[in-house]
mmCIF file with all atom_site columns, all heavy atoms in Angstrom:
data_model
loop_
_atom_site.group_PDB
_atom_site.id
_atom_site.type_symbol
_atom_site.label_atom_id
_atom_site.label_alt_id
_atom_site.label_comp_id
_atom_site.label_asym_id
_atom_site.label_entity_id
_atom_site.label_seq_id
_atom_site.pdbx_PDB_ins_code
_atom_site.Cartn_x
_atom_site.Cartn_y
_atom_site.Cartn_z
_atom_site.occupancy
_atom_site.B_iso_or_equiv
_atom_site.pdbx_formal_charge
_atom_site.auth_seq_id
_atom_site.auth_comp_id
_atom_site.auth_asym_id
_atom_site.auth_atom_id
_atom_site.pdbx_PDB_model_num
ATOM 1  N N   . SER B 1 167 ? 16.001 34.719 0.696  1.00 0.00 ? 167 SER B N   1
ATOM 2  C CA  . SER B 1 167 ? 16.526 35.795 -0.124 1.00 0.00 ? 167 SER B CA  1
ATOM 3  C C   . SER B 1 167 ? 17.823 36.352 0.440  1.00 0.00 ? 167 SER B C   1
ATOM 4  O O   . SER B 1 167 ? 18.131 36.189 1.616  1.00 0.00 ? 167 SER B O   1
ATOM 5  C CB  . SER B 1 167 ? 15.499 36.924 -0.210 1.00 0.00 ? 167 SER B CB  1
ATOM 6  O OG  . SER B 1 167 ? 15.259 37.443 1.084  1.00 0.00 ? 167 SER B OG  1
ATOM 7  N N   . VAL B 1 169 ? 19.628 40.093 0.161  1.00 0.00 ? 169 VAL B N   1
ATOM 8  C CA  . VAL B 1 169 ? 19.546 41.461 -0.361 1.00 0.00 ? 169 VAL B CA  1
ATOM 9  C C   . VAL B 1 169 ? 20.445 42.369 0.467  1.00 0.00 ? 169 VAL B C   1
ATOM 10 O O   . VAL B 1 169 ? 20.957 41.979 1.513  1.00 0.00 ? 169 VAL B O   1
ATOM 11 C CB  . VAL B 1 169 ? 18.100 42.003 -0.286 1.00 0.00 ? 169 VAL B CB  1
ATOM 12 C CG1 . VAL B 1 169 ? 17.165 41.193 -1.158 1.00 0.00 ? 169 VAL B CG1 1
ATOM 13 C CG2 . VAL B 1 169 ? 17.622 42.019 1.154  1.00 0.00 ? 169 VAL B CG2 1
ATOM 14 N N   . SER B 1 170 ? 20.606 43.565 -0.028 1.00 0.00 ? 170 SER B N   1
ATOM 15 C CA  . SER B 1 170 ? 21.332 44.551 0.764  1.00 0.00 ? 170 SER B CA  1
ATOM 16 C C   . SER B 1 170 ? 20.327 45.235 1.690  1.00 0.00 ? 170 SER B C   1
ATOM 17 O O   . SER B 1 170 ? 19.130 45.238 1.423  1.00 0.00 ? 170 SER B O   1
ATOM 18 C CB  . SER B 1 170 ? 21.961 45.580 -0.169 1.00 0.00 ? 170 SER B CB  1
ATOM 19 O OG  . SER B 1 170 ? 22.495 46.655 0.582  1.00 0.00 ? 170 SER B OG  1
ATOM 20 N N   . ASP B 1 171 ? 20.819 45.793 2.758  1.00 0.00 ? 171 ASP B N   1
ATOM 21 C CA  . ASP B 1 171 ? 19.934 46.535 3.652  1.00 0.00 ? 171 ASP B CA  1
ATOM 22 C C   . ASP B 1 171 ? 19.674 47.900 3.017  1.00 0.00 ? 171 ASP B C   1
ATOM 23 O O   . ASP B 1 171 ? 20.391 48.867 3.247  1.00 0.00 ? 171 ASP B O   1
ATOM 24 C CB  . ASP B 1 171 ? 20.586 46.689 5.024  1.00 0.00 ? 171 ASP B CB  1
ATOM 25 C CG  . ASP B 1 171 ? 19.594 47.250 6.041  1.00 0.00 ? 171 ASP B CG  1
ATOM 26 O OD1 . ASP B 1 171 ? 18.658 47.951 5.623  1.00 0.00 ? 171 ASP B OD1 1
ATOM 27 O OD2 . ASP B 1 171 ? 19.770 46.980 7.234  1.00 0.00 ? 171 ASP B OD2 1
ATOM 28 N N   . ASN B 1 328 ? 16.154 35.081 5.377  1.00 0.00 ? 328 ASN B N   1
ATOM 29 C CA  . ASN B 1 328 ? 16.237 36.326 4.629  1.00 0.00 ? 328 ASN B CA  1
ATOM 30 C C   . ASN B 1 328 ? 17.484 37.052 5.075  1.00 0.00 ? 328 ASN B C   1
ATOM 31 O O   . ASN B 1 328 ? 17.528 37.673 6.130  1.00 0.00 ? 328 ASN B O   1
ATOM 32 C CB  . ASN B 1 328 ? 14.981 37.170 4.863  1.00 0.00 ? 328 ASN B CB  1
ATOM 33 C CG  . ASN B 1 328 ? 13.763 36.489 4.268  1.00 0.00 ? 328 ASN B CG  1
ATOM 34 O OD1 . ASN B 1 328 ? 12.984 35.852 4.966  1.00 0.00 ? 328 ASN B OD1 1
ATOM 35 N ND2 . ASN B 1 328 ? 13.635 36.568 2.961  1.00 0.00 ? 328 ASN B ND2 1
ATOM 36 N N   . VAL B 1 329 ? 18.515 36.901 4.250  1.00 0.00 ? 329 VAL B N   1
ATOM 37 C CA  . VAL B 1 329 ? 19.816 37.470 4.591  1.00 0.00 ? 329 VAL B CA  1
ATOM 38 C C   . VAL B 1 329 ? 19.887 38.913 4.127  1.00 0.00 ? 329 VAL B C   1
ATOM 39 O O   . VAL B 1 329 ? 19.495 39.232 3.003  1.00 0.00 ? 329 VAL B O   1
ATOM 40 C CB  . VAL B 1 329 ? 20.945 36.671 3.923  1.00 0.00 ? 329 VAL B CB  1
ATOM 41 C CG1 . VAL B 1 329 ? 22.297 37.288 4.242  1.00 0.00 ? 329 VAL B CG1 1
ATOM 42 C CG2 . VAL B 1 329 ? 20.886 35.221 4.366  1.00 0.00 ? 329 VAL B CG2 1
ATOM 43 N N   . THR B 1 330 ? 20.361 39.767 5.014  1.00 0.00 ? 330 THR B N   1
ATOM 44 C CA  . THR B 1 330 ? 20.513 41.178 4.665  1.00 0.00 ? 330 THR B CA  1
ATOM 45 C C   . THR B 1 330 ? 21.977 41.568 4.794  1.00 0.00 ? 330 THR B C   1
ATOM 46 O O   . THR B 1 330 ? 22.566 41.443 5.860  1.00 0.00 ? 330 THR B O   1
ATOM 47 C CB  . THR B 1 330 ? 19.672 42.054 5.615  1.00 0.00 ? 330 THR B CB  1
ATOM 48 O OG1 . THR B 1 330 ? 18.334 41.582 5.594  1.00 0.00 ? 330 THR B OG1 1
ATOM 49 C CG2 . THR B 1 330 ? 19.712 43.494 5.179  1.00 0.00 ? 330 THR B CG2 1
ATOM 50 N N   . LEU B 1 331 ? 22.539 42.008 3.699  1.00 0.00 ? 331 LEU B N   1
ATOM 51 C CA  . LEU B 1 331 ? 23.949 42.406 3.720  1.00 0.00 ? 331 LEU B CA  1
ATOM 52 C C   . LEU B 1 331 ? 24.086 43.883 4.077  1.00 0.00 ? 331 LEU B C   1
ATOM 53 O O   . LEU B 1 331 ? 23.282 44.710 3.670  1.00 0.00 ? 331 LEU B O   1
ATOM 54 C CB  . LEU B 1 331 ? 24.568 42.172 2.334  1.00 0.00 ? 331 LEU B CB  1
ATOM 55 C CG  . LEU B 1 331 ? 25.303 40.868 2.076  1.00 0.00 ? 331 LEU B CG  1
ATOM 56 C CD1 . LEU B 1 331 ? 24.727 39.695 2.837  1.00 0.00 ? 331 LEU B CD1 1
ATOM 57 C CD2 . LEU B 1 331 ? 25.370 40.562 0.588  1.00 0.00 ? 331 LEU B CD2 1
ATOM 58 N N   . GLN B 1 332 ? 25.135 44.180 4.824  1.00 0.00 ? 332 GLN B N   1
ATOM 59 C CA  . GLN B 1 332 ? 25.398 45.569 5.208  1.00 0.00 ? 332 GLN B CA  1
ATOM 60 C C   . GLN B 1 332 ? 26.105 46.312 4.087  1.00 0.00 ? 332 GLN B C   1
ATOM 61 O O   . GLN B 1 332 ? 27.195 45.927 3.697  1.00 0.00 ? 332 GLN B O   1
ATOM 62 C CB  . GLN B 1 332 ? 26.343 45.587 6.414  1.00 0.00 ? 332 GLN B CB  1
ATOM 63 C CG  . GLN B 1 332 ? 25.719 45.131 7.699  1.00 0.00 ? 332 GLN B CG  1
ATOM 64 C CD  . GLN B 1 332 ? 25.240 46.305 8.530  1.00 0.00 ? 332 GLN B CD  1
ATOM 65 O OE1 . GLN B 1 332 ? 25.617 47.445 8.245  1.00 0.00 ? 332 GLN B OE1 1
ATOM 66 N NE2 . GLN B 1 332 ? 24.412 46.034 9.519  1.00 0.00 ? 332 GLN B NE2 1
#
Side-chain angles (χ1 to χ4, degrees):
Chain B
S167 62
V169 297
S170 171
D171 190 334
N328 293 100
V329 178
T330 306
L331 265 33
Q332 289 264 346

